[in-house]
């Protein structure tokens, strides 16, 4: 049976007590072992920290992992972190999938640990199922146009434009009013130095 | 200002607005409309002869309406660029026969009434939004009589009155009689920290601004009797407490209590302020010559336009949302766009400069990389299955699919942003989104609904708004029932009718499709297609005898954690009401429906194939005929 599925590693994160304070991560770890294709499950206190990432890289080599599932926080936070991590171990970064046990589970179901644990198992199962279907991808590379646009010519826009231009790049500073300066130009003195605004 | 104006690598475009943005990180294409100023900027030497003869007198915005200017003017003496301009709405001489006095006196011959607005197009790799804020207009607080009482002014008007370049040349006078006010009161938190007027948040800068104002008064006019009416003095920055203590020791009286009302003496135009001094526990009345309303800061009223053009999001207070409140405070959620200054939150000059430096350094990092990798989220076309209908091209919000009648669509990868709207629209599944395939999404649905499907609220959530709204709910530790199960797609427009029906077929009691609000859609307007798809699915469900009320559509922005939690709470009841029998019936009906749909798709593909083959045959025949007719005469 297992042979039909890509060899998958699951990495369950406690995030200190952020996840483990509500979700029974040991139970989720045990459950993950029963999922199809899963050949290794690692339970960590902080998967995003160096030791946690080392475990992922080590397991990819040791278990010849073809897919990695990280069950931790929102992918909007650490998807790029773990993509880079698996890539360092030679796995295509698009073969990594995340399950959001923190923002979407432990933090919002603090009063229902049993329900949250059940949900965490579901989220891991769903992520493993998706991981099996993932395909390696090559990210297209594009050239970056060596210029920047700053919208708004108040103090923030002026300062940003100067910094970028001093760094050698072309800047377009777009201001709606007929002069740059913004609201600051209307101030007489500014605190804490009590000096002129213009 | 001057440095920016004369920097060789900064092109300052004033009287200009961004009107269109296309492309993505690394390669944005931006259109800017530059309004005609009717004075040639490079020729004008600011001699001011034109202003002297201009007959039109109107309030001067720069001086907060406390002075007047002409229709041809320079915004303020240090303006950058240092050149005059004409406000076409004010000027009489748009038709020079009507006036044209300025034309006659201009020695530089730089006034040009034929000037027109220009559309400039620029290519940039990154953008910084630094659109600033607006000061609160306290007119709505009728108790304070602003705009009714001459001597009630705002802190912005104070700035002009105390400034050497102001309407009274720095002689601080009160508007009613031009006399110097000796008893001045400052009222704090006007339009801030209020559920009644203005905004509920603290505007950050007003406490220290008032402290500064009292010190300016103490410096210019040591005999001034200044009183500050406050809730709390928030002097939390470096050196701020020192300034506050200096203000107190200079004799300024700080009275803890916000006045309920201001009354004007109609004769003297003096003001009577009644206030409960909450430290002394007494009602007090203060007779003042002038009251300064320390007005709060609010998001610019035109924020919507910038938000729409750059697909930004806004927090509940109306300021632009950063990608992460701690780790990415200057990044917008869209890659390649950064935030600086008060458009992100109220802040003072120092913080604006700091944030601008951070945003600029992020831009530098991006630009100096030279080449960057972008997400592999583009569609792949299975040409053999494609029926050449062109619907993918029609719905693509980025015009990244080129199609000509009868031809194979051509996907322009560089222009594609990966919303997946095309794949969801394809009637024969010929398009596959890389990294968001039907198989991947279905595998997730299967896994979620594998056990106890009746307990699951299956939710399709778009990456940028709804999924992020769920994250915001988490960050805020909002609590709601555990039944929601999210399937993340880049855009809600990726969710096809098939996927919705598939979820119901697999036993979902309720399905929620959630995306960005229309103005927030990160793929221009792809979520308009979401509506069409969900409506189609509602129709289909109804025709099949399945309650369409089981399919929900919600718009939840990245900032709306509250709404996300609320939707999860509200939908829990209808989810629980769906019975096992109803689910079993749905499964049966939709399994048959799926077979029918697959059959229909196969027929469409086959018919298109046949048509193509027939056309190919006809072409071969005609070219063979042509060859024969060419060969014919050669033989003879």
């Amino acid at each position: 049976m297992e042979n039909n599925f890509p060899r998958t590693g699951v990495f369950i994160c406690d995030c200190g007590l952020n996840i483990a304070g509500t979700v029974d991560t040991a139970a989720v770890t045990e459950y993950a072992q029963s999922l199809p294709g899963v050949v290794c499950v690692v339970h960590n206190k902080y998967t995003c920290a160096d030791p946690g990432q080392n475990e992922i890289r080590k397991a990819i080599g040791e278990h010849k992992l073809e897919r990695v599932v990280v069950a931790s926080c929102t992918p909007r936070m650490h998807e790029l972190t773990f993509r880079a991590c698996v890539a360092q171990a030679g796995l295509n970064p698009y073969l990594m999938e995340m399950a959001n046990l923190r923002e979407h589970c432990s933090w919002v179901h603090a009063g229902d640990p049993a329900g949250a644990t059940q949900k965490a198992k579901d989220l891991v199962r769903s992520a493993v199922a998706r991981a099996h279907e993932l395909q390696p991808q090559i990210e297209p590379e594009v050239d970056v146009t060596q210029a920047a646009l700053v919208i708004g010519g108040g103090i923030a826009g002026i300062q940003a434009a100067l910094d970028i231009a001093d760094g050698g790049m072309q800047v377009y500073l777009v201001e709606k009013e007929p002069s740059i300066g913004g609201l600051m130009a209307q101030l007489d003195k500014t605190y804490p130095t009590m000096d002129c605004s213009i | 200002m001057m440095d920016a104006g004369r920097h060789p690598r900064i092109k300052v475009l004033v009287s200009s607005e961004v009107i269109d943005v296309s492309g993505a990180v690394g390669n944005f294409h931006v259109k800017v409309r530059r309004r005609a100023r009717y004075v040639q900027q490079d020729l004008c030497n600011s001699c001011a002869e034109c202003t002297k003869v201009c007959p039109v007198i109107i309030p001067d915005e720069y001086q907060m309406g406390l002075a007047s200017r002409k229709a041809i003017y320079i915004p303020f003496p240090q303006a950058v660029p240092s050149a005059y301009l004409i406000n076409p709405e004010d000027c009489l001489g748009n038709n020079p026969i009507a006036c044209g006095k300025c034309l006659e006196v201009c020695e530089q011959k730089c006034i040009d009434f034929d000037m027109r607005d220009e559309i400039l197009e620029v290519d940039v790799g990154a953008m910084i939004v630094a659109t600033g804020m607006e000061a609160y207009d306290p007119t709505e607080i009728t108790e304070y009589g602003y705009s009714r009482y001459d001597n009630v002014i705002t802190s912005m008007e104070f700035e002009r009155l105390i400034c050497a370049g102001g309407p009274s040349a720095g002689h601080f006078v009160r508007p009613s009689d031009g006399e110097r006010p000796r008893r001045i009161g400052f009222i704090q938190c006007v339009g801030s920290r209020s559920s009644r007027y203005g905004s509920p948040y603290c505007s950050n800068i007003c406490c220290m601004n008032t402290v500064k104002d009292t010190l300016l008064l103490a410096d210019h006019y040591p005999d001034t009797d200044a009183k500050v009416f406050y809730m709390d003095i928030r002097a939390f920055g470096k050196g701020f407490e020192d300034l506050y203590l200096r203000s107190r020791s200079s004799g300024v009286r700080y009275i803890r209590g916000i006045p309920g009302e201001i009354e004007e003496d109609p004769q003297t135009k003096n003001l009577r302020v009644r206030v409960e001094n909450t430290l002394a526990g007494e009602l007090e009345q203060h007779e003042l010559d002038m009251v300064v309303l320390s007005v709060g800061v609010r998001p610019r009223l035109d924020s919507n336009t910038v938000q729409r053009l750059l697909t930004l999001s806004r927090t509940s207070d109306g300021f632009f949302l950063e990608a992460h409140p701690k780790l990415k405070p200057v990044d917008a959620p869209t890659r390649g766009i950064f935030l600086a200054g008060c458009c992100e939150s109220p802040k003072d000059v120092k913080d604006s400069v700091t944030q601008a430096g951070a945003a600029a350094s992020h831009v530098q990092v991006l630009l100096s990389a030279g080449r960057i990798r972008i997400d592999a989220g583009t569609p792949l076309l299975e040409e053999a299955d494609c029926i050449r209908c062109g619907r993918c091209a029609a719905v693509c919000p980025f015009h990244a699919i080129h199609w000509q009648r009868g031809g194979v669509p051509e996907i322009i990868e560089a222009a594609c942003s990966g919303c997946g709207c095309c794949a969801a629209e394809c009637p024969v599944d010929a398009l596959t989104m890389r990294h968001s395939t039907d198989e991947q999404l279905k595998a997730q649905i299967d896994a979620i609904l594998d056990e106890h499907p009746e307990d699951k609220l299956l939710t399709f959530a778009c990456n940028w708004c709804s999924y992020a709204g769920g994250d915001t709910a988490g960050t805020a530790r909002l609590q709601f029932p555990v039944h929601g199960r999210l399937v993340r797609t880049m855009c809600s427009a990726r969710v096809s009718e098939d996927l919705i029906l598939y979820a119901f077929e697999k036993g979902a009691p309720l399905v929620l499709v959630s995306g960005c609000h229309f103005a927030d859609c990160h793929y221009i307007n792809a979520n308009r297609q979401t509506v069409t798809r969900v409506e189609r699915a509602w129709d289909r469900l109804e025709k099949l005898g399945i309650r369409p009320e089981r399919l929900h559509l919600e718009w939840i922005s990245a900032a709306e954690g509250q709404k996300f939690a609320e939707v999860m709470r509200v939908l829990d009841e209808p989810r629980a009401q769906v019975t096992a029998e109803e689910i079993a019936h749905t499964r049966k009906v939709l399994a048959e429906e799926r077979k029918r749909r697959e059959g229909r798709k196969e027929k469409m593909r086959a018919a298109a194939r046949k048509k193509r083959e027939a056309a190919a045959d006809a072409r071969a025949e005609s070219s063979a005929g042509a060859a024969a007719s060419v060969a014919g005469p050669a033989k003879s």
Side-chain angles (χ1 to χ4, degrees):
Chain A
M1 181 70 184
E2 266 186 20
N3 295 336
N4 299 331
F5 293 103
R7 297 173 64 79
T8 306
V10 180
F11 299 83
I12 313 267
C13 181
D14 280 348
C15 194
L17 284 178
N18 282 305
I19 296 171
T22 301
V23 172
D24 181 351
T25 43
V28 178
T29 305
E30 200 186 320
Y31 173 78
Q33 278 157 354
S34 70
L35 291 170
V38 173
V39 294
C40 118
V41 183
V42 176
H43 182 181
N44 261 319
K45 206 163 181 62
Y46 292 104
T47 310
C48 63
D50 276 352
Q53 291 198 41
N54 283 338
E55 294 256 24
I56 296 176
R57 285 188 287 260
K58 203 173 82 189
I60 290 172
E62 274 178 16
H63 296 275
K64 302 191 173 54
L65 296 182
E66 297 163 304
R67 302 287 187 276
V68 164
V69 169
V70 180
S72 56
C73 50
T74 171
R76 291 171 52 82
M77 177 108 159
H78 275 318
E79 192 167 51
L80 294 180
T81 311
F82 291 119
R83 274 187 184 172
C85 167
V86 302
Q88 283 162 4
L91 196 66
N92 183 284
Y94 283 77
L95 299 178
M96 190 282 305
E97 181 62 25
M98 290 184 77
N100 185 348
L101 304 193
R102 194 177 73 173
E103 282 81 351
H104 286 187
C105 190
S106 64
W107 276 353
V108 287
H109 308 309
D112 183 2
T117 303
Q118 187 51 48
K119 181 172 177 175
K121 290 178 183 174
D122 262 20
L123 296 177
V124 171
R125 184 170 67 229
S126 164
V128 168
R130 178 181 161 86
H132 290 165
E133 298 294 332
L134 295 176
Q135 295 294 324
Q137 304 291 347
I138 309 281
E139 290 182 336
E141 276 196 10
V142 294
D143 286 327
V144 179
T145 308
Q146 298 294 301
L149 180 85
V150 178
I151 309 174
I155 177 60
I158 291 172
Q159 183 67 44
L162 283 171
D163 284 353
I164 299 168
D166 284 345
M169 313 286 181
Q170 173 67 38
V171 183
Y172 301 95
L173 178 57
V174 176
E175 168 56 50
K176 199 172 188 174
E177 300 298 326
S179 169
I180 58 172
L183 275 187
M184 190 197 61
Q186 281 179 297
L187 305 180
D188 174 41
K189 302 279 190 291
T190 55
Y191 68 83
T193 46
M194 311 296 283
D195 54 359
C196 171
S197 71
I198 290 188
Chain B
M1 279 169 61
M2 309 273 271
D3 292 346
R6 60 177 172 235
H7 200 294
R9 280 185 297 277
I10 299 180
K11 187 162 175 59
V12 177
L13 302 170
V14 290
S15 304
S16 300
E17 285 174 74
V18 173
I19 55 168
D20 188 51
V21 177
S22 56
V25 56
N27 297 285
F28 292 106
H29 185 72
V30 185
K31 286 187 189 160
V32 178
R33 174 184 286 125
R34 179 154 67 175
R35 290 189 304 279
R37 64 189 291 144
Y38 304 103
V39 176
Q40 291 180 43
Q41 195 177 306
D42 304 334
L43 290 180
C44 174
N45 61 2
S46 313
C47 67
E49 292 302 320
C50 51
T51 291
K52 287 179 196 156
V53 297
C54 179
V56 182
I57 297 172
I58 45 173
D60 184 343
E61 306 88 349
Y62 177 73
Q63 303 289 11
M64 300 300 296
L66 296 168
S68 59
R69 65 163 175 85
K70 301 292 187 70
I72 186 164
Y73 70 111
I74 188 162
F76 50 95
Q78 306 91 330
V80 174
S82 179
Y84 280 65
L85 75 150
I86 295 171
N87 249 15
E89 294 87 37
D90 307 327
C91 175
L92 303 173
N94 243 345
N95 171 4
I97 302 163
C99 176
K101 287 192 162 62
C102 51
L103 268 178
E104 292 162 17
V105 297
C106 179
E107 283 180 6
Q108 293 289 105
K109 301 289 170 219
C110 57
I111 299 171
D112 175 5
F113 283 109
D114 294 328
M115 216 177 250
R116 292 285 170 266
D117 290 4
E118 288 173 274
I119 307 290
L120 308 165
E121 302 196 19
V122 297
D123 290 302
V124 294
M127 292 190 274
I128 291 179
V129 180
T131 46
M133 46 75 167
E134 276 173 17
Y136 171 69
D137 176 354
T139 310
E140 65 171 342
I141 311 179
T142 48
E143 301 93 298
Y144 288 168
Y146 175 71
S147 78
R148 206 154 27 100
Y149 304 151
D150 292 343
N151 296 324
V152 175
I153 65 168
T154 68
S155 38
M156 285 306 289
E157 288 162 342
F158 179 95
E159 293 294 335
R160 298 321 308 150
L161 284 173
I162 196 95
C163 181
S168 50
H171 301 291
F172 193 69
V173 293
R174 60 181 204 163
S176 67
D177 51 13
E179 292 295 316
R180 182 166 80 80
R182 279 158 212 278
R183 301 166 300 172
I184 301 173
F186 292 85
I187 301 180
Q188 294 306 108
C189 296
V190 176
S192 304
R193 302 179 71 193
S194 165
S195 51
R196 271 182 80 201
Y197 296 118
S199 316
Y201 53 82
C202 167
S203 287
N204 182 323
I205 56 174
C206 342
C207 281
M208 287 315 295
N209 192 58
T210 291
V211 168
K212 174 205 77 181
D213 290 348
T214 59
L215 285 168
L216 287 180
L217 285 172
D219 183 48
H220 295 4
Y221 309 103
D223 62 339
T224 303
D225 171 21
K227 289 168 180 163
V228 178
F229 302 98
Y230 71 99
M231 258 190 250
D232 302 289
I233 291 293
R234 297 186 165 175
F236 53 84
K238 190 174 185 179
F240 291 6
E241 188 72 10
D242 283 350
L243 278 192
Y244 171 51
L245 294 176
R246 250 174 71 196
S247 167
R248 290 195 82 120
S249 63
S250 75
V252 177
R253 226 189 115 194
Y254 283 78
I255 299 162
R256 190 166 179 276
I258 298 291
E261 204 181 0
I262 300 174
E263 264 177 15
E264 185 191 58
D265 181 327
Q267 253 79 56
T268 61
K269 301 281 180 187
N270 288 346
L271 302 160
R272 244 191 320 275
V273 167
R274 261 188 287 275
V275 62
E276 183 193 350
N277 183 332
T278 56
L279 287 183
E282 280 169 14
L283 278 175
E284 294 177 0
Q285 187 164 295
H286 298 267
E287 178 98 7
L288 300 164
D289 301 329
M290 176 188 259
V291 168
V292 181
L293 304 178
S294 185
V295 289
V297 168
R298 41 182 7 189
R300 284 184 63 100
L301 290 172
D302 54 7
S303 297
N304 272 343
T305 316
V306 180
Q307 179 184 4
R308 182 175 47 78
L309 287 170
L310 302 183
T311 63
L312 302 170
S313 297
R314 295 208 268 162
T315 37
S316 53
D317 53 20
F319 293 97
F320 290 132
L321 177 75
E322 65 278 37
H324 190 278
K326 270 188 305 193
L327 303 176
K328 291 185 171 179
V330 300
D331 297 58
T334 307
R335 198 172 162 207
I337 300 177
F338 304 93
L339 307 173
C342 290
C343 66
E344 184 264 333
S345 67
K347 54 177 71 70
D348 60 18
V349 174
K350 178 186 171 183
D351 285 354
S352 293
V353 169
T354 309
Q355 199 181 20
S361 91
H362 280 53
V363 167
Q364 292 274 13
V365 167
L366 188 67
L367 297 190
S368 55
R371 269 175 88 73
I372 51 161
R373 287 186 165 179
I374 52 174
D375 265 4
T378 49
L380 294 170
L381 177 71
E382 186 59 63
E383 230 181 278
D385 287 346
C386 173
I387 58 168
R388 280 73 166 156
C389 67
R391 277 164 70 172
C392 50
V395 298
C396 176
F398 297 93
H399 309 295
I401 303 182
H402 292 179
W403 175 75
Q404 283 183 330
R405 188 166 287 282
V408 182
E410 183 198 351
I411 298 161
I412 315 295
E413 277 214 344
C416 171
S417 290
C419 62
C421 187
C422 52
E425 187 68 16
C426 178
V428 290
D429 301 339
L431 280 167
T432 304
M433 290 312 289
R434 303 201 284 155
H435 211 56
S436 186
T437 66
D438 278 0
E439 288 71 29
Q440 288 161 5
L441 298 171
K442 283 179 178 172
Q444 275 183 281
I445 296 170
D446 284 341
I448 289 168
L449 299 173
D450 197 19
E451 293 167 12
H452 302 292
E454 67 280 3
D455 288 344
K456 319 286 169 66
L457 166 54
L458 195 113
T459 303
F460 293 102
C462 80
N463 177 64
W464 302 101
C465 288
S466 301
Y467 192 95
D471 284 348
T472 306
T475 311
R477 310 298 199 275
L478 304 175
Q479 302 297 303
F480 48 85
V482 295
H483 305 291
R485 298 289 186 274
L486 267 60
V487 174
R488 181 167 69 129
T489 56
M490 290 314 280
C491 177
S492 59
R494 169 68 189 90
V495 183
S496 61
E497 195 187 336
D498 275 356
L499 281 171
I500 296 171
L501 297 183
Y502 186 81
F504 279 118
E505 188 196 330
K506 292 294 156 178
L510 234 59
V511 172
L512 166 63
V513 177
S514 59
C516 309
H517 294 278
F518 283 139
D520 298 357
C521 181
H522 283 64
Y523 302 100
I524 305 177
N525 56 3
N527 59 356
R528 299 270 176 190
Q529 300 299 329
T530 311
V531 181
T532 314
R533 307 251 166 74
V534 169
E535 281 173 351
R536 253 189 257 151
W538 274 326
D539 284 351
R540 177 61 47 198
L541 291 172
E542 192 154 22
K543 280 186 186 132
L544 294 169
I546 299 164
R547 285 191 298 130
E549 304 90 272
R550 289 169 58 193
L551 171 61
H552 290 259
L553 175 64
E554 290 287 351
W555 308 125
I556 303 170
S557 82
E560 289 176 330
Q562 291 280 4
K563 182 168 182 191
F564 183 89
E566 186 58 21
V567 168
M568 289 291 140
R569 272 193 288 267
V570 167
L571 292 186
D572 204 41
E573 198 185 315
R575 176 203 58 78
Q577 282 168 354
V578 181
T579 61
E581 292 75 38
E582 194 176 357
I583 291 175
H585 170 260
T586 305
R587 279 175 183 264
K588 191 164 153 282
V589 171
L590 285 178
E592 288 161 11
E593 169 70 5
R594 180 154 58 92
K595 275 184 210 140
R596 270 199 303 276
R597 289 169 81 90
E598 290 304 327
R600 247 197 325 267
K601 282 179 194 170
E602 194 41 56
K603 260 189 207 158
M604 285 165 82
R605 290 185 203 114
R609 226 173 274 144
K610 214 168 152 190
K611 206 171 145 193
R612 284 201 300 278
E613 280 161 14
D617 286 350
R619 265 200 308 278
E621 232 164 69
S622 73
S623 68
S629 65
V630 170
K635 257 182 196 174
S636 63

